[in-house]
Amino acid sequence: MLPVENVTQPFTQLPAVSLISQSRPSGFIIHVTPWSLTNQQADAVSPTPAIMVVNSVHWFRKCLRLHDNPALQEALNGADTVRCVYILDPWFAGAANVGINRWRFLLEALEDLDNSLKKLNSRLFVVRGQPTEVFPRLFKEWNVTRLTFEYDPEPYGKERDGAIIKMAQEFGVEAVIRNSHTLYNLDRIIEMNNNSPPLTFKRFQTIVSRLELPRRPLPPITRQQMDKCHTQIGENHDLLYSIPSLEELGFRTEDLSPAVWRGGESEALDRLNKHLDKKVWVANLEHPRVNTCSLYASPTGLSPYLRFGCLSCRVLYYNLRELYMKLRKRCSPPLSLFGQLLWREFFYTAATNNPNFDRMEGNPICVQIPWDQNPEALAKWAEGRTGFPWIDAIMTQLRQEGWIHHLARHAVACFLTRGDLWISWESGMKVFEELLLDADWSVNAGSWMWLSCSAFFQQFFHCYCPVGFGRRTDPSGDYIRRYIPILKDYPNRYIYEPWNAPESLQKAANCVVGVDYPKPMINHAEGSRLNIERMKQVYQQLSHYRGLSLLASVPTIQEEAEPPMTDESQTSSGPGRRRPD
Amino acid sequence: MKRGLQGNEQEDGGGTSGGCQKTLKRSRKQRRENDLEEEGARWECLPQEILLHIFQYLPLLDRAYASQVCRGWNQAFHMPELWRCFEFELNQPASSYLKATHPDLIKQIIKRHSNHLQYVSFKVDSSRESAEAACDILSQLVNCSLKTLGLISTARPSFMELPKSHFISALTVVFVNSKSLSSLKIDDTPVDDPSLKVLVANNSDTLKLLKMSSCPHVSPAGILCVADQCHGLRELALNYHLLSDELLIALSSEKHVHLDHLRIDVVSENPGQQFHTIKKSSWDAMVRHSPKFNLVMYFFLYEDEFGPFFRDEIPVTHLYFGRSVSKDVLGRVGLTCPRLVELVVCANGLRPLDEELIRIAQRCTQLSAIGLGECEVSCSAFVEFVKMCGDRLTQLSIMEEVLVPDHRYGLDDIHWEVSKHLGRVWFPDMMPTW
């Protein structure tokens, strides 16, 4: 483990640094470009000696795509050979908290990359092992002089990458990193907020509205570009560098149903077009009110593709923006158009400098709540055996398909934590990490903290009832019938609370509660009564509030109290005052 | 060292901070003349009162470390003043993330300080062992004259898992020995009527606060006994099934002090449960007797169980609906709750609450806080509502999905309109959309 100062240095906002290592023969210049969102290209790259051959390696991690991939463009830029690698450790696969759907999505994305690279007369090199052991080997074997990869803003990623950069320096390899996973330069956002990440979404939006637009996406790499750095593919390529199968990673695939969400860049771009078409058809660029249909996996859903980087967030951003401007003929769209993208950005910003972001202990932004430890209850929740059909159906869909609607997420997260079971959000986060296709580390942890009212100054009074909320979202009960087929003969009146149905009805429906379907594991009224009291106790201690108001127990954050920043949608009658700079 | 001792001797007579300061100055002056050996003298001359004052700022663990430094500091550590308040944290590693008070420390406290304890609370996790440990400690507090006792479950109520007699006998040790209990928090415990009688028999003159929500073994008669005898009672929290007209009359009797607040939890055990009604005259008596009292009511009922509620005027000030509540009931709230200060609605349904909100703005002239969860209100009606009571609203917590855009306002501009009438920047509460 490297000392922190060595690892994090490249990621400060210093101008491009040129380091000449002592052990290097003269003439080699190791260059580390800090990730930068400005339009300056790698002009800070020092000129390399004319006789030097440039052998590039592009390291795919997230950003599994050939479009809008600035780091990959850098790999190709003036290179003699280019090899695209993905590093994967099959031994580690079994230990990691990653379920079969996520692996399958990833493997499909890698296959898609490989196919796309084949069309450009190249291939994807999937190298088995860990980066720290793989790279020294590859550097030597391929005479690598340049290593490129996309900047990873997550704390674990920064640490890992710092070590790799240092290693690259030692081997005389130039490391070029570019930011393309987030819309903006996250450190800039933090800087504009008095050097701390915004802790309310509105504050975040305010700051973002003062930034210039995200950098425009780059086009996909072309055959011409690749031809200039054509790399011979060995005959044993498939032997050494093939994409592993699910079986090789230790999964059983006999009963595996086909994937609902197909991984890969091609699928992502296809969906993007359909997504935009749908928006035009609906002629509605506002938040759609949720209805039953939204609960099912949508053929135009994009979140898993954003997470794996199969779809560039900037491509989505600019497509939405241009569509809006075309349809509405207004100068600029409101920030609410980019809701999904900005939430993602918000959590990435909050997490980037906080290695403890995914836990309660030692996390400066997380409220310390005395959650219960109850493995049995947690298992029932995770496996969809709570006895509440709404919760069980959602968890079943999650396990089978890898995606659930965000309101469904709110429902199950509330049930597990502050609503009913009073179990720590960390446990829920880990289950989502395993099962949910679009669970980024930052977004998953941040959302769980938000939904459990552990951070971000949320009010805790609104509790999602595991019966009522489901019934209001899908009165027909079809969602339940689809994912919990044993309940399909229950009438709408009782399908959300089968334990209340008279025995005769239960028998007629061939599903007796307690026998064929579990009894409800908790009394919701009693549970929520207890829990609201617990949350109040915790928050009153935090805010030193001694009064009777439930709402006033939650402290308000300083940033809200500041005078408002100018907002694009502000009319002249708004109370905006410009903050003195 | 000798000079240090001299310093102390001079000190003992005075004992005031002023005296010590003079000694300090002298010590410092001496130090300039002498070598560093004399440094120790400065610390030893700190009088006990100063040490006590400093120690009171230190968390327990740091204080414990400090007590290991020398005999003088060890003595200070054990001064009674430092042991007036204590919070026993009883957690098992298998059921909680929290740390627990060390068993040795607990033994020490019982041995040396039980008669100093006055303000005590127990925080227990969801395991039975923790609740048992709490009872164990309680039974040993024989020489205690507690003023405050709090039994707090931080997760599931583990006190309820104990055999009732075991719990009661431990609790009554405190009731009998304290004789000056002023504040008692025993929510979610198996306390019963006879033990309340013991409480009253020994502490009726001093009892000011009693919180006993969700104590299923207590009957209305049991709590009535408390109200009848404890005339100093200012704060009371209980479940609705314990509330009776007689109780309210007792709390409004001439002998009784003004009540500060009454908190009532209305919880449904089974669907279709019938709830008794309280006469308007009883509430009127309460208001006459304690005009400023706050009535806090938390409802956890099915929608169709609200029949007996909000038919007559009720002096409720803080209202929380923890499950979905119908449009009809919210309409009745506007008509029957003139003293309403805070209204929090967890959920309502998919029909807009426009009329009901406007009515509440008109009739509930004291309303200063409102929270709406899973409800629907049209943007125009919401703006209307804020226009009417914006100047008195200190808390406005509306989930984003509540506001339904209409011909006049869209989601992007409503917050400016509302901010205008509120006099400060306002946004609805948001939830992440993944």
PDB file of all heavy atoms in Angstrom, chain A residues 28-51:
ATOM      1  N   PHE A  28      14.197   9.992 -22.071  1.00  0.00           N
ATOM      2  CA  PHE A  28      12.833   9.554 -21.770  1.00  0.00           C
ATOM      3  C   PHE A  28      12.203  10.575 -20.849  1.00  0.00           C
ATOM      4  O   PHE A  28      12.794  10.957 -19.863  1.00  0.00           O
ATOM      5  CB  PHE A  28      12.864   8.217 -21.005  1.00  0.00           C
ATOM      6  CG  PHE A  28      12.929   7.036 -21.894  1.00  0.00           C
ATOM      7  CD1 PHE A  28      14.007   6.851 -22.761  1.00  0.00           C
ATOM      8  CD2 PHE A  28      11.927   6.094 -21.878  1.00  0.00           C
ATOM      9  CE1 PHE A  28      14.077   5.747 -23.579  1.00  0.00           C
ATOM     10  CE2 PHE A  28      11.981   4.984 -22.691  1.00  0.00           C
ATOM     11  CZ  PHE A  28      13.055   4.796 -23.545  1.00  0.00           C
ATOM     12  N   ILE A  29      11.049  10.993 -21.177  1.00  0.00           N
ATOM     13  CA  ILE A  29      10.372  11.929 -20.278  1.00  0.00           C
ATOM     14  C   ILE A  29       9.060  11.306 -19.842  1.00  0.00           C
ATOM     15  O   ILE A  29       8.224  10.961 -20.667  1.00  0.00           O
ATOM     16  CB  ILE A  29      10.136  13.275 -20.972  1.00  0.00           C
ATOM     17  CG1 ILE A  29      11.501  13.906 -21.282  1.00  0.00           C
ATOM     18  CG2 ILE A  29       9.321  14.205 -20.081  1.00  0.00           C
ATOM     19  CD1 ILE A  29      11.417  15.190 -22.061  1.00  0.00           C
ATOM     20  N   ILE A  30       8.915  11.160 -18.559  1.00  0.00           N
ATOM     21  CA  ILE A  30       7.664  10.573 -18.058  1.00  0.00           C
ATOM     22  C   ILE A  30       6.687  11.712 -17.866  1.00  0.00           C
ATOM     23  O   ILE A  30       6.971  12.706 -17.220  1.00  0.00           O
ATOM     24  CB  ILE A  30       7.884   9.882 -16.702  1.00  0.00           C
ATOM     25  CG1 ILE A  30       8.879   8.743 -16.860  1.00  0.00           C
ATOM     26  CG2 ILE A  30       6.570   9.334 -16.176  1.00  0.00           C
ATOM     27  CD1 ILE A  30      10.262   9.126 -16.641  1.00  0.00           C
ATOM     28  N   HIS A  31       5.562  11.542 -18.444  1.00  0.00           N
ATOM     29  CA  HIS A  31       4.611  12.645 -18.333  1.00  0.00           C
ATOM     30  C   HIS A  31       3.319  12.169 -17.684  1.00  0.00           C
ATOM     31  O   HIS A  31       2.767  11.166 -18.065  1.00  0.00           O
ATOM     32  CB  HIS A  31       4.315  13.203 -19.718  1.00  0.00           C
ATOM     33  CG  HIS A  31       3.345  14.328 -19.655  1.00  0.00           C
ATOM     34  ND1 HIS A  31       3.701  15.594 -19.273  1.00  0.00           N
ATOM     35  CD2 HIS A  31       2.016  14.344 -19.849  1.00  0.00           C
ATOM     36  CE1 HIS A  31       2.615  16.356 -19.269  1.00  0.00           C
ATOM     37  NE2 HIS A  31       1.573  15.622 -19.609  1.00  0.00           N
ATOM     38  N   VAL A  32       2.873  12.934 -16.713  1.00  0.00           N
ATOM     39  CA  VAL A  32       1.591  12.614 -16.086  1.00  0.00           C
ATOM     40  C   VAL A  32       0.670  13.799 -16.297  1.00  0.00           C
ATOM     41  O   VAL A  32       0.922  14.880 -15.800  1.00  0.00           O
ATOM     42  CB  VAL A  32       1.754  12.364 -14.580  1.00  0.00           C
ATOM     43  CG1 VAL A  32       0.391  12.132 -13.946  1.00  0.00           C
ATOM     44  CG2 VAL A  32       2.642  11.161 -14.335  1.00  0.00           C
ATOM     45  N   THR A  33      -0.367  13.592 -17.083  1.00  0.00           N
ATOM     46  CA  THR A  33      -1.295  14.709 -17.304  1.00  0.00           C
ATOM     47  C   THR A  33      -2.399  14.639 -16.260  1.00  0.00           C
ATOM     48  O   THR A  33      -3.069  13.623 -16.178  1.00  0.00           O
ATOM     49  CB  THR A  33      -1.981  14.554 -18.675  1.00  0.00           C
ATOM     50  OG1 THR A  33      -1.081  13.952 -19.566  1.00  0.00           O
ATOM     51  CG2 THR A  33      -2.453  15.882 -19.195  1.00  0.00           C
ATOM     52  N   PRO A  34      -2.593  15.695 -15.504  1.00  0.00           N
ATOM     53  CA  PRO A  34      -3.761  15.649 -14.629  1.00  0.00           C
ATOM     54  C   PRO A  34      -5.005  15.648 -15.489  1.00  0.00           C
ATOM     55  O   PRO A  34      -5.038  16.277 -16.527  1.00  0.00           O
ATOM     56  CB  PRO A  34      -3.674  16.924 -13.806  1.00  0.00           C
ATOM     57  CG  PRO A  34      -2.578  17.732 -14.380  1.00  0.00           C
ATOM     58  CD  PRO A  34      -1.893  16.960 -15.448  1.00  0.00           C
ATOM     59  N   TRP A  35      -6.004  14.929 -15.072  1.00  0.00           N
ATOM     60  CA  TRP A  35      -7.243  14.915 -15.835  1.00  0.00           C
ATOM     61  C   TRP A  35      -7.730  16.347 -15.916  1.00  0.00           C
ATOM     62  O   TRP A  35      -7.613  17.094 -14.973  1.00  0.00           O
ATOM     63  CB  TRP A  35      -8.285  14.034 -15.149  1.00  0.00           C
ATOM     64  CG  TRP A  35      -8.374  14.331 -13.703  1.00  0.00           C
ATOM     65  CD1 TRP A  35      -7.702  13.714 -12.714  1.00  0.00           C
ATOM     66  CD2 TRP A  35      -9.141  15.375 -13.090  1.00  0.00           C
ATOM     67  NE1 TRP A  35      -8.005  14.284 -11.526  1.00  0.00           N
ATOM     68  CE2 TRP A  35      -8.884  15.304 -11.702  1.00  0.00           C
ATOM     69  CE3 TRP A  35     -10.006  16.357 -13.566  1.00  0.00           C
ATOM     70  CZ2 TRP A  35      -9.465  16.169 -10.802  1.00  0.00           C
ATOM     71  CZ3 TRP A  35     -10.601  17.215 -12.666  1.00  0.00           C
ATOM     72  CH2 TRP A  35     -10.323  17.117 -11.287  1.00  0.00           C
ATOM     73  N   SER A  36      -8.241  16.688 -17.023  1.00  0.00           N
ATOM     74  CA  SER A  36      -8.646  18.085 -17.156  1.00  0.00           C
ATOM     75  C   SER A  36      -9.819  18.183 -18.098  1.00  0.00           C
ATOM     76  O   SER A  36      -9.884  17.479 -19.092  1.00  0.00           O
ATOM     77  CB  SER A  36      -7.468  18.892 -17.692  1.00  0.00           C
ATOM     78  OG  SER A  36      -7.935  20.115 -18.200  1.00  0.00           O
ATOM     79  N   LEU A  37     -10.733  19.025 -17.781  1.00  0.00           N
ATOM     80  CA  LEU A  37     -11.925  19.133 -18.595  1.00  0.00           C
ATOM     81  C   LEU A  37     -11.857  20.277 -19.581  1.00  0.00           C
ATOM     82  O   LEU A  37     -12.797  20.517 -20.288  1.00  0.00           O
ATOM     83  CB  LEU A  37     -13.129  19.403 -17.685  1.00  0.00           C
ATOM     84  CG  LEU A  37     -14.220  18.353 -17.705  1.00  0.00           C
ATOM     85  CD1 LEU A  37     -15.526  19.007 -17.336  1.00  0.00           C
ATOM     86  CD2 LEU A  37     -14.377  17.697 -19.062  1.00  0.00           C
ATOM     87  N   THR A  38     -10.800  20.992 -19.556  1.00  0.00           N
ATOM     88  CA  THR A  38     -10.758  22.128 -20.476  1.00  0.00           C
ATOM     89  C   THR A  38     -10.495  21.619 -21.881  1.00  0.00           C
ATOM     90  O   THR A  38     -10.186  20.461 -22.094  1.00  0.00           O
ATOM     91  CB  THR A  38      -9.641  23.113 -20.094  1.00  0.00           C
ATOM     92  OG1 THR A  38      -8.402  22.409 -20.221  1.00  0.00           O
ATOM     93  CG2 THR A  38      -9.807  23.576 -18.661  1.00  0.00           C
ATOM     94  N   ASN A  39     -10.642  22.527 -22.818  1.00  0.00           N
ATOM     95  CA  ASN A  39     -10.480  22.110 -24.199  1.00  0.00           C
ATOM     96  C   ASN A  39      -9.029  21.926 -24.591  1.00  0.00           C
ATOM     97  O   ASN A  39      -8.738  21.484 -25.689  1.00  0.00           O
ATOM     98  CB  ASN A  39     -11.139  23.125 -25.135  1.00  0.00           C
ATOM     99  CG  ASN A  39     -12.657  22.980 -25.089  1.00  0.00           C
ATOM    100  OD1 ASN A  39     -13.148  21.880 -24.901  1.00  0.00           O
ATOM    101  ND2 ASN A  39     -13.374  24.067 -25.235  1.00  0.00           N
ATOM    102  N   GLN A  40      -8.133  22.290 -23.664  1.00  0.00           N
ATOM    103  CA  GLN A  40      -6.713  22.022 -23.969  1.00  0.00           C
ATOM    104  C   GLN A  40      -6.556  20.532 -24.158  1.00  0.00           C
ATOM    105  O   GLN A  40      -6.993  19.757 -23.324  1.00  0.00           O
ATOM    106  CB  GLN A  40      -5.832  22.398 -22.785  1.00  0.00           C
ATOM    107  CG  GLN A  40      -5.825  23.854 -22.433  1.00  0.00           C
ATOM    108  CD  GLN A  40      -5.205  24.051 -21.062  1.00  0.00           C
ATOM    109  OE1 GLN A  40      -4.805  23.113 -20.415  1.00  0.00           O
ATOM    110  NE2 GLN A  40      -5.140  25.294 -20.631  1.00  0.00           N
ATOM    111  N   GLN A  41      -5.992  20.185 -25.204  1.00  0.00           N
ATOM    112  CA  GLN A  41      -5.716  18.765 -25.388  1.00  0.00           C
ATOM    113  C   GLN A  41      -4.433  18.447 -24.666  1.00  0.00           C
ATOM    114  O   GLN A  41      -4.009  19.172 -23.781  1.00  0.00           O
ATOM    115  CB  GLN A  41      -5.619  18.424 -26.890  1.00  0.00           C
ATOM    116  CG  GLN A  41      -6.974  18.349 -27.549  1.00  0.00           C
ATOM    117  CD  GLN A  41      -7.881  17.380 -26.806  1.00  0.00           C
ATOM    118  OE1 GLN A  41      -7.541  16.221 -26.618  1.00  0.00           O
ATOM    119  NE2 GLN A  41      -9.021  17.862 -26.352  1.00  0.00           N
ATOM    120  N   ALA A  42      -3.841  17.370 -25.033  1.00  0.00           N
ATOM    121  CA  ALA A  42      -2.621  16.991 -24.323  1.00  0.00           C
ATOM    122  C   ALA A  42      -1.445  17.811 -24.815  1.00  0.00           C
ATOM    123  O   ALA A  42      -0.393  17.281 -25.120  1.00  0.00           O
ATOM    124  CB  ALA A  42      -2.377  15.511 -24.505  1.00  0.00           C
ATOM    125  N   ASP A  43      -1.667  19.129 -24.910  1.00  0.00           N
ATOM    126  CA  ASP A  43      -0.574  19.961 -25.412  1.00  0.00           C
ATOM    127  C   ASP A  43       0.536  20.067 -24.394  1.00  0.00           C
ATOM    128  O   ASP A  43       1.626  20.500 -24.682  1.00  0.00           O
ATOM    129  CB  ASP A  43      -1.076  21.368 -25.784  1.00  0.00           C
ATOM    130  CG  ASP A  43      -2.105  21.868 -24.800  1.00  0.00           C
ATOM    131  OD1 ASP A  43      -3.210  21.293 -24.782  1.00  0.00           O
ATOM    132  OD2 ASP A  43      -1.822  22.814 -24.057  1.00  0.00           O
ATOM    133  N   ALA A  44       0.182  19.638 -23.163  1.00  0.00           N
ATOM    134  CA  ALA A  44       1.234  19.659 -22.146  1.00  0.00           C
ATOM    135  C   ALA A  44       2.178  18.486 -22.311  1.00  0.00           C
ATOM    136  O   ALA A  44       3.147  18.358 -21.621  1.00  0.00           O
ATOM    137  CB  ALA A  44       0.606  19.640 -20.763  1.00  0.00           C
ATOM    138  N   VAL A  45       1.827  17.582 -23.219  1.00  0.00           N
ATOM    139  CA  VAL A  45       2.708  16.432 -23.427  1.00  0.00           C
ATOM    140  C   VAL A  45       4.029  16.921 -23.989  1.00  0.00           C
ATOM    141  O   VAL A  45       4.057  17.627 -24.989  1.00  0.00           O
ATOM    142  CB  VAL A  45       2.064  15.437 -24.430  1.00  0.00           C
ATOM    143  CG1 VAL A  45       3.015  14.304 -24.731  1.00  0.00           C
ATOM    144  CG2 VAL A  45       0.756  14.910 -23.866  1.00  0.00           C
ATOM    145  N   SER A  46       5.074  16.562 -23.340  1.00  0.00           N
ATOM    146  CA  SER A  46       6.394  17.000 -23.821  1.00  0.00           C
ATOM    147  C   SER A  46       6.750  16.229 -25.090  1.00  0.00           C
ATOM    148  O   SER A  46       6.356  15.072 -25.232  1.00  0.00           O
ATOM    149  CB  SER A  46       7.439  16.725 -22.747  1.00  0.00           C
ATOM    150  OG  SER A  46       6.909  17.007 -21.482  1.00  0.00           O
ATOM    151  N   PRO A  47       7.440  16.860 -25.982  1.00  0.00           N
ATOM    152  CA  PRO A  47       7.796  16.169 -27.238  1.00  0.00           C
ATOM    153  C   PRO A  47       8.702  14.980 -26.944  1.00  0.00           C
ATOM    154  O   PRO A  47       9.577  15.053 -26.102  1.00  0.00           O
ATOM    155  CB  PRO A  47       8.538  17.244 -28.031  1.00  0.00           C
ATOM    156  CG  PRO A  47       8.978  18.254 -27.028  1.00  0.00           C
ATOM    157  CD  PRO A  47       8.001  18.204 -25.910  1.00  0.00           C
ATOM    158  N   THR A  48       8.386  13.903 -27.574  1.00  0.00           N
ATOM    159  CA  THR A  48       9.204  12.706 -27.375  1.00  0.00           C
ATOM    160  C   THR A  48      10.263  12.644 -28.472  1.00  0.00           C
ATOM    161  O   THR A  48      10.047  13.154 -29.556  1.00  0.00           O
ATOM    162  CB  THR A  48       8.320  11.455 -27.443  1.00  0.00           C
ATOM    163  OG1 THR A  48       7.507  11.531 -28.608  1.00  0.00           O
ATOM    164  CG2 THR A  48       7.411  11.371 -26.222  1.00  0.00           C
ATOM    165  N   PRO A  49      11.332  11.998 -28.157  1.00  0.00           N
ATOM    166  CA  PRO A  49      12.418  11.909 -29.162  1.00  0.00           C
ATOM    167  C   PRO A  49      11.921  11.236 -30.452  1.00  0.00           C
ATOM    168  O   PRO A  49      11.095  10.343 -30.405  1.00  0.00           O
ATOM    169  CB  PRO A  49      13.466  11.024 -28.481  1.00  0.00           C
ATOM    170  CG  PRO A  49      13.163  11.114 -27.027  1.00  0.00           C
ATOM    171  CD  PRO A  49      11.710  11.370 -26.894  1.00  0.00           C
ATOM    172  N   ALA A  50      12.385  11.698 -31.578  1.00  0.00           N
ATOM    173  CA  ALA A  50      11.841  11.270 -32.867  1.00  0.00           C
ATOM    174  C   ALA A  50      12.014   9.782 -33.125  1.00  0.00           C
ATOM    175  O   ALA A  50      11.188   9.154 -33.759  1.00  0.00           O
ATOM    176  CB  ALA A  50      12.499  12.066 -33.983  1.00  0.00           C
ATOM    177  N   ILE A  51      13.082   9.201 -32.605  1.00  0.00           N
ATOM    178  CA  ILE A  51      13.323   7.798 -32.914  1.00  0.00           C
ATOM    179  C   ILE A  51      12.452   6.865 -32.098  1.00  0.00           C
ATOM    180  O   ILE A  51      12.362   5.672 -32.345  1.00  0.00           O
ATOM    181  CB  ILE A  51      14.783   7.398 -32.643  1.00  0.00           C
ATOM    182  CG1 ILE A  51      15.305   8.202 -31.430  1.00  0.00           C
ATOM    183  CG2 ILE A  51      15.646   7.597 -33.858  1.00  0.00           C
ATOM    184  CD1 ILE A  51      16.490   7.579 -30.762  1.00  0.00           C
TER     185      ILE A  51
END
